[in-house]
Amino acid sequence: MIPDLRIDLPDEAATARLAAALGDLLRPGDTVCLYGGLGAGKTAFSRALIRSLSGNPEEEVPSPTFTLVQVYPLPRFDLWHFDLYRLSGPEEVAELGWEEAQAGGCALVEWPERLGDLLPADRLDLTLTVTGPESRTATLAGSPSWTPRLESLSC
Ligand SMILES: Nc1ncnc2c1ncn2[C@@H]1O[C@H](COP(=O)(O)OP(=O)(O)O)[C@@H](O)[C@H]1O
Ligand SMILES: [Mg+2]
């Protein structure tokens, strides 16, 4: 195991660079859990990752606050962007296509705390902490499948 990786993000462009670098490491079946309070930058991170992988910097990436999920067919896999803040309970996540997302897609999950027992063991946890108006710190901790990938992370 490698210790948690801490990355300082002095501005939103740095967050976008980290998102693009992580996007390049994603494989079908991956789950990335995004932790951090309201306004920490979970959606900003997701938007940058999706835009990078779609190759379209203008791609519409609305926050899934009300829809709870948005699916993006990307060249290498479908990316499922979840925001579970308003989830009524873990059973509701099945209706959103959780199994399908786990099977062949990649899942980016805001408010993964809501998953309860459905939280997959194989995942990357990314926590965003607000350190200033424009700055954040990212802390990354992954299950074993992520260890070599995190070691190769350059941004
Ligand atoms: N370094 C940064 N990384 C990410 N977002 C940032 C950063 N600096 C400022 N922001 C701003 O913080 C806000 C984050 O909002 P959002 O991504 O919706 O948060 P969350 O989804 O965690 O509630 C956005 O307005 C974004 O422009
Ligand atoms: Mg959000």
Side-chain angles (χ1 to χ4, degrees):
M1 286 297 273
I2 54 169
D4 291 1
L5 197 60
R6 277 191 49 172
I7 300 174
D8 287 326
L9 305 169
D11 52 31
E12 198 165 341
T15 300
R17 282 195 298 276
L18 173 62
L22 257 179
D24 288 342
L25 298 175
L26 282 180
R27 300 178 194 146
D30 279 340
T31 300
V32 177
C33 292
L34 299 170
Y35 293 89
L38 281 174
K42 303 179 295 298
T43 300
F45 175 92
S46 302
R47 186 172 291 128
L49 188 153
I50 291 161
R51 285 179 173 167
S52 167
L53 285 182
S54 74
N56 176 8
E58 311 280 306
E59 174 94 35
E60 276 292 316
V61 183
S63 173
T65 311
F66 296 103
T67 55
L68 305 192
V69 66
Q70 299 279 347
V71 186
Y72 300 87
L74 298 176
R76 288 194 291 125
F77 43 69
D78 286 351
L79 188 140
W80 297 63
H81 180 197
F82 293 93
D83 180 339
L84 303 181
Y85 189 72
R86 290 165 190 273
L87 198 73
S88 55
E91 53 299 334
E92 192 193 350
V93 84
E95 294 162 27
L96 303 176
W98 181 252
E99 289 298 327
E100 200 186 328
Q102 292 290 297
C106 280
L108 283 181
V109 189
E110 301 186 40
W111 300 101
E113 295 90 336
R114 302 286 196 270
L115 285 170
D117 292 345
L118 288 175
L119 186 70
D122 186 11
R123 65 179 193 274
L124 177 69
D125 287 336
L126 191 159
T127 304
L128 290 168
T129 310
V130 178
T131 51
E134 303 298 326
S135 60
R136 307 288 187 265
T137 297
T139 308
L140 293 90
S143 53
S145 82
W146 276 96
T147 305
R149 289 188 272 175
L150 290 183
E151 283 168 347
S152 76
L153 190 64
S154 58
C155 53

